[in-house]
Amino acid sequence: MNLIPSLLKMGNFKISKKSFDGNFPKQSGVFCGKDMDYLDLYFPAPTTINMITLFEKGENVTDFEIYYEKDGAFERIYKQNRIADFRLCALPEVCTKTIRIKVLKTRKGFFKEIYASSYCLPPKPVRFRTTAYIVLDAYKKIDTENLLDYNKFNLIGGIQMNDCGEVSFDAENFNGALQMLRTHDENADIVATLMSEGSMVSVLKNPKTPENIKKFLDTYALNGVSFDWEFPKNLYEWMVFDRFIVRLKEVIGKKSITLALPSWMRYRFSKKALSCIDVAEVMTYDNMPRDIDGHHSEFFSDGPNAMYHFVQIGFSLAQLDLGLPYYARPVDGTGYWSDYRTEVDKLDWFTNVAQDEYRDLDWKQKEILVKPRFYNCCQMIEDKTAFCIYAGVGGVMVWALNSDTPADHPLCLSKVLTKTLSERAKR
């Protein structure tokens, strides 16, 4: 897919080699070469820069860095692994006469055309959702200071509906998590994800289901309901789900409907159903089989490209939340999930991969050799969030808050979200 014409169709987000979201670059350049080659962008006078956009012909670059000139020497301010079709690099604001973009490593020892542009972008006026998933049986692992970094919460785990359309849940964990959030903010925006004990189709077709959901939401003063509808088997199931969404919205009124949707699937919602969906959370993670390096949540494929896919389906950018993983998957695709907080000391601000290997039990309790694991480091979280702000995406959602570090850790991902919003968004 050609990135440029695709993203030009994404509503108010404009990107090309000549401008970014309506802003013209301070300086641009193009280069090709081999490992360790670089491009210098020169400015006629000291110039303030806080963003670089990169376009790569092909997908050869696997490591690159950005430097700025300071007192006659070059100081590194950025490092990441991939450029691909498009990369947004959110830089700390610097004033300089030269920006250097250096390719450290490639797949074949060389790279084709890379087009680079430098910007100083002002904060953008936006209404931006920051949604944190709260896994009920892990809510006690959450540092409550991190709750301050989010304006919406999604409770998930053990909240079930049976074939009779009745809601049940683990009362101890549900009430405990709800109390934690109400103590944090008595008016917190909270939705609950409802799963199915049996056949989801039977639940959705039951005429009592919408009223039972409304009763559940009203009883616990919840702001809405969420559905994690990951694996439909056929078009019939999508038709049932589509009609259910319309019927449910008629019953719950101003309460919101949120859907968690995998980025790799094609959807066939009717226009009426689309209008009833308040938020579509795009699960841009667990995508190892589609990635050349087995990375489960890269920037381009699981950021701009995923957003474009959902806009083509019929969603507006304002409806979409980009999913941010606070966990890793092994690059060989093994069924193993590791929390960011448990391995943060193996990473740093720029490092996405924990390289060591060790033995552990997978999700089936079978012993496996755990291979290197791909996370979204602080810089990746900052880049994806900054992209969403400037692109006009409605927000981001994180899976899951219990996987983050304590708030006082220097690599706390929740604090990266707040930092990025304070620098890039005017709310």
Side-chain angles (χ1 to χ4, degrees):
M1 185 188 70
N2 189 316
L3 172 81
I4 307 300
S6 299
L7 287 184
L8 284 172
K9 298 175 183 177
M10 288 180 60
N12 65 341
F13 178 47
K14 299 292 184 288
I15 181 169
S16 73
K17 292 181 178 180
K18 296 182 179 179
S19 67
F20 182 87
D21 196 28
N23 295 276
F24 291 97
K26 301 293 184 179
Q27 192 59 272
S28 298
V30 61
F31 70 126
C32 60
K34 58 186 184 304
D35 293 7
M36 304 306 291
D37 283 350
Y38 60 85
L39 169 70
D40 283 346
L41 299 178
Y42 299 103
F43 308 101
T47 301
T48 300
I49 298 297
N50 66 4
M51 185 78 72
I52 298 287
T53 60
L54 300 171
F55 300 84
E56 180 187 0
K57 185 177 181 180
E59 194 172 348
N60 283 330
V61 175
T62 58
D63 285 286
F64 71 101
E65 295 178 330
I66 299 175
Y67 301 78
Y68 82 109
E69 185 183 9
K70 179 182 179 182
D71 299 328
F74 282 94
E75 183 173 317
R76 190 184 73 172
I77 53 174
Y78 185 97
K79 183 175 190 267
Q80 276 297 281
N81 51 302
R82 297 263 283 276
I83 296 176
D85 289 15
F86 167 67
R87 182 79 194 214
L88 180 151
C89 308
L91 308 180
E93 188 172 283
V94 295
C95 186
T96 186
K97 291 191 70 174
T98 310
I99 288 286
R100 174 169 292 178
I101 300 151
K102 185 176 184 179
V103 173
L104 302 179
K105 189 177 179 181
T106 60
R107 301 183 198 285
K108 300 178 181 179
F110 67 91
F111 58 94
K112 299 179 182 180
E113 178 182 298
I114 295 176
Y115 193 97
S117 293
S118 56
Y119 296 87
C120 184
L121 300 182
K124 184 170 183 176
V126 293
R127 296 182 64 185
F128 200 80
R129 289 181 298 272
T130 52
T131 302
Y133 267 84
I134 309 292
V135 180
L136 292 186
D137 63 5
Y139 83 90
K140 293 179 182 178
K141 297 179 181 179
I142 293 171
D143 183 347
T144 55
E145 287 296 312
N146 284 338
L147 298 175
L148 298 169
D149 301 296
Y150 302 90
N151 54 33
K152 185 176 179 180
F153 303 94
N154 193 325
L155 302 177
I156 189 170
I159 311 174
Q160 307 279 357
M161 299 199 74
N162 60 28
D163 289 352
C164 296
E166 300 166 331
V167 181
S168 62
F169 50 85
D170 175 346
E172 181 179 354
N173 284 329
F174 178 83
N175 290 325
L178 198 57
Q179 179 61 38
M180 176 186 71
L181 295 176
R182 298 293 189 210
T183 301
H184 157 68
D185 178 1
E186 62 181 10
N187 297 312
D189 187 343
I190 306 171
V191 302
T193 295
L194 300 184
M195 308 298 281
S196 171
E197 289 182 346
S199 165
M200 192 68 175
V201 170
S202 297
V203 172
L204 299 180
K205 292 182 70 174
N206 192 310
K208 297 179 181 179
T209 297
E211 287 294 344
N212 286 336
I213 291 175
K214 182 179 186 303
K215 181 180 178 181
F216 170 67
L217 299 180
D218 290 343
T219 299
Y220 295 96
L222 300 176
N223 298 85
V225 63
S226 181
F227 297 97
D228 189 346
W229 185 248
E230 293 191 36
F231 305 108
K233 296 184 180 68
N234 50 52
L235 289 175
Y236 172 71
E237 291 189 357
W238 277 110
M239 180 186 69
V240 171
F241 193 34
D242 189 281
R243 293 176 179 176
F244 169 77
I245 290 169
V246 174
R247 193 167 77 251
L248 177 64
K249 192 63 176 178
E250 292 172 351
V251 173
I252 66 174
K254 293 183 179 180
K255 302 280 189 180
S256 66
I257 296 177
T258 296
L259 304 186
L261 302 173
S263 60
W264 59 86
M265 297 183 70
R266 297 196 65 83
Y267 300 97
R268 296 170 176 84
F269 291 110
S270 66
K271 288 184 178 180
K272 191 168 185 180
L274 282 171
S275 70
C276 296
I277 300 168
D278 296 276
V279 181
E281 297 174 339
V282 185
M283 295 188 286
T284 39
Y285 35 70
D286 290 344
N287 290 334
M288 303 82 65
R290 301 189 305 148
D291 187 81
I292 191 171
D293 295 316
H295 295 169
H296 82 108
S297 187
E298 270 290 358
F299 178 82
F300 174 69
S301 57
D302 298 298
N305 209 27
M307 294 298 95
Y308 170 62
H309 171 64
F310 276 79
V311 169
Q312 280 196 312
I313 291 167
F315 288 97
S316 70
L317 284 171
Q319 282 176 291
L320 301 176
D321 281 1
L322 178 68
L324 303 176
Y326 284 8
Y327 68 95
R329 295 294 306 276
V331 296
D332 66 350
T334 301
Y336 186 86
W337 291 256
S338 48
D339 289 342
Y340 175 76
R341 61 183 172 81
T342 65
E343 298 202 289
V344 65
D345 293 336
K346 301 175 184 178
L347 310 170
D348 59 35
W349 186 274
F350 300 120
T351 300
N352 293 305
V353 180
Q355 294 285 0
D356 63 316
E357 299 183 1
Y358 57 86
R359 293 200 171 274
D360 201 354
L361 301 179
D362 68 5
W363 66 286
K364 294 182 178 179
Q365 298 302 298
K366 179 182 178 181
E367 185 177 280
I368 57 168
L369 176 63
V370 180
K371 297 288 188 177
R373 298 152 310 287
F374 186 84
Y375 287 92
N376 273 200
C377 68
C378 294
Q379 187 63 62
M380 181 76 83
I381 295 294
E382 183 173 9
D383 288 351
K384 288 183 176 180
T385 305
F387 166 77
C388 289
I389 291 168
Y390 291 115
V393 176
V396 295
M397 67 88 171
V398 305
W399 179 272
L401 189 52
N402 57 278
S403 297
D404 200 4
T405 68
D408 59 359
H409 195 286
L411 300 180
C412 176
L413 299 180
S414 296
K415 299 310 171 190
V416 174
L417 278 182
T418 293
K419 169 186 175 294
T420 307
L421 285 165
S422 66
E423 294 173 351
R424 308 285 179 176
K426 185 185 294 184
R427 295 182 289 174

